[in-house]
């Protein structure tokens, strides 16, 4: 049985208010082509199909095109919801589309979803486990004491007989202890969502989602596929890929990665303004970090023609580490008062030193005067 393992599509995601719709269409087209070229029996999508619980019509259309291409190419699809998804929405019409080879498990409803597949080696049990929280599981097991994410998974997976000699593959969307993380992921406060890899013992392969960097945890067959695209500048050095998994006899599993080629790469470009001006034109999504000691106010505008997809612009020198978002996203700033913004600006220009109370009182008078004048 050959699977293509992917996860964390985050369809509909925007980077600093920049739409990634075309990038996502292209990368999903590549994945569908790889699945057909590799003659995969099925594609496993380990959660976070969409970036928001209420995906846009455009996002749903992109996913529809992707799944349709797979099914028309003779490849089945098995997917679960992640912490970004609405279980009800992703599993809409699931009973109907399963007849076409598409199984989407959006919610845990007290029993682990299992589908039995068959090949020349016999039967294989494929388990689909959406993103779980302790409170969700506790509602189905009132007698059990379920306080942590690990206890929740242990409770749910206890129904699986790990010693019956049958081949078993699990699709799950959780945070396994020891995984390398990045800025674009969401976790519970205090690491309460951490799960030991021991919870997954007895499965021939575990297709994980939730962590954006492709990696294995302790063993080759407990693996995060990672996102198909880079979704933050903390992922700039990631090599995005899909994982091809061959399951033969029980315990005989091999994995390999196939690299993906994004429509736009994501890079961090750092240096002096003069050197940046000499760099070749690129349409990659970039964060520009200028290191000059003196930076002219129009520097970002001067660099923009060579970097039309500049998403962030930063200055790093001995005087300041102030960072501006080139997208114009003012969400955080709009939550602050003019006084708070001026205090932030003062600290950024004075190596983190706050203004004196005398200066603050003077600033308050100026602001009040401006407000009085309308």
């Amino acid at each position: 049985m050959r699977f293509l393992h992917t996860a964390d599509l985050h369809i509909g995601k925007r980077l600093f208010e920049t739409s990634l719709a075309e990038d996502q269409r292209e990368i999903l087209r590549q994945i569908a082509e790889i699945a057909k070229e590799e003659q995969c029996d099925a594609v496993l999508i380990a959660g976070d199909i969409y970036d928001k619980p209420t995906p846009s019509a455009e996002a749903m259309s992109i996913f529809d095109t992707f799944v349709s291409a797979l099914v028309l190419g003779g490849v089945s699809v098995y997917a679960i919801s992640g912490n970004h998804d609405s279980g009800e929405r992703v599993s809409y019409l699931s009973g109907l589309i399963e007849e076409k080879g598409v199984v989407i498990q959006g919610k845990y409803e007290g029993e682990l979803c299992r589908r039995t597949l068959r090949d020349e080696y016999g039967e294989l049990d494929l388990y689909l486990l959406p993103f779980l929280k302790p409170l969700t599981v506790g509602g189905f097991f009132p007698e059990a004491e379920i306080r942590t994410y690990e206890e929740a998974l242990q409770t749910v997976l206890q129904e699986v007989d790990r010693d019956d000699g049958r081949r078993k593959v699990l699709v799950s969307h959780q945070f396994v202890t020891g995984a390398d993380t990045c800025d674009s992921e969401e976790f519970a406060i205090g690491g309460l969502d951490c799960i030991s890899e021991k919870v997954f013992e007895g499965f021939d392969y575990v297709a994980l989602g939730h962590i954006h960097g492709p990696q294995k945890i302790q063993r080759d067959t407990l693996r995060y596929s990672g996102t198909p695209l880079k979704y933050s500048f903390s992922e700039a050095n990631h090599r995005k890929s899909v994982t091809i998994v061959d399951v033969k006899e029980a315990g005989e599993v091999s994995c390999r990665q196939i690299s993906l080629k994004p429509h736009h790469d994501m890079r961090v470009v750092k240096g002096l303004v003069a050197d940046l001006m000499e760099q070749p034109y690129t349409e990659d999504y970039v964060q520009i970090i200028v290191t000059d000691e003196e930076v002219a106010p129009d520097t970002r505008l001067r660099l923009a023609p060579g970097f039309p997809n500049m998403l962030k612009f930063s200055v790093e020198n001995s005087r300041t580490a102030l960072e501006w978002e080139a997208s114009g996203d003012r969400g955080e700033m709009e939550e602050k008062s003019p006084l708070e913004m001026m205090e932030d600006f003062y600290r950024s220009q004075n190596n983190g030193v706050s203004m004196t109370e005398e200066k603050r009182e003077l600033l308050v008078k100026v602001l009040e005067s401006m407000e009085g004048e309308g």
Side-chain angles (χ1 to χ4, degrees), residues 91-165:
S91 58
Y92 181 65
L93 294 178
S94 57
L96 179 62
I97 62 178
E98 185 164 351
E99 297 179 4
K100 300 296 183 181
V102 180
V103 180
I104 301 179
Q105 187 67 15
K107 292 176 61 180
Y108 175 72
E109 298 179 333
E111 186 176 352
L112 189 57
C113 174
R114 182 181 74 176
R115 294 294 183 271
T116 299
L117 313 181
R118 294 173 178 81
D119 62 9
E120 65 269 31
Y121 297 97
E123 293 185 334
L124 179 149
D125 292 328
L126 176 64
Y127 295 91
L128 303 176
L129 185 59
F131 178 69
L132 289 182
K133 293 183 177 180
L135 185 62
T136 303
V137 178
F140 294 102
F141 298 89
E143 302 301 320
E145 188 175 353
I146 301 174
R147 297 162 299 179
T148 67
Y149 282 73
E150 181 163 328
E151 290 171 345
L153 253 72
Q154 286 174 330
T155 301
V156 170
L157 295 177
Q158 67 184 0
E159 70 177 74
V160 181
D161 184 354
R162 318 285 179 93
D163 300 316
D164 61 2

Side-chain angles (χ1 to χ4, degrees), residues 5-8 44-48 78-83 105 112-113 126-133 149 152-154 156-157 169-176 193 195-196 199-200 203 205-211 221-226:
H5 170 200
T6 188
D8 298 278
L44 308 179
I45 305 174
D48 280 355
Y78 296 90
I80 61 172
S81 64
N83 58 301
Q105 187 67 15
L112 189 57
C113 174
L126 176 64
Y127 295 91
L128 303 176
L129 185 59
F131 178 69
L132 289 182
K133 293 183 177 180
Y149 282 73
L153 253 72
Q154 286 174 330
V156 170
L157 295 177
V169 173
L170 173 68
V171 185
S172 178
H173 188 93
Q174 305 288 162
F175 175 42
V176 181
D193 52 352
I195 297 169
S196 169
V199 173
F200 303 104
F203 289 94
Y205 184 78
V206 182
L208 292 170
H210 196 36
I211 302 300
T221 54
L222 179 63
R223 184 177 291 272
Y224 286 102
S225 67

Side-chain angles (χ1 to χ4, degrees), residues 1-4 35 38-43 74-78 119:
M1 190 73 62
R2 175 169 289 180
F3 299 105
L4 184 151
E38 290 290 324
Q39 298 181 323
C40 295
D41 297 289
V43 168
V75 182
S76 299
V77 177
Y78 296 90
D119 62 9

Side-chain angles (χ1 to χ4, degrees), residues 251-271:
E252 187 180 350
V253 181
S254 61
C255 309
R256 55 191 170 90
Q257 293 172 283
I258 296 181
S259 297
L260 298 171
K261 299 178 181 179
H263 184 51
H264 299 97
D265 197 4
M266 178 176 283
R267 299 187 292 120
V268 177
V269 183
K270 184 175 182 178

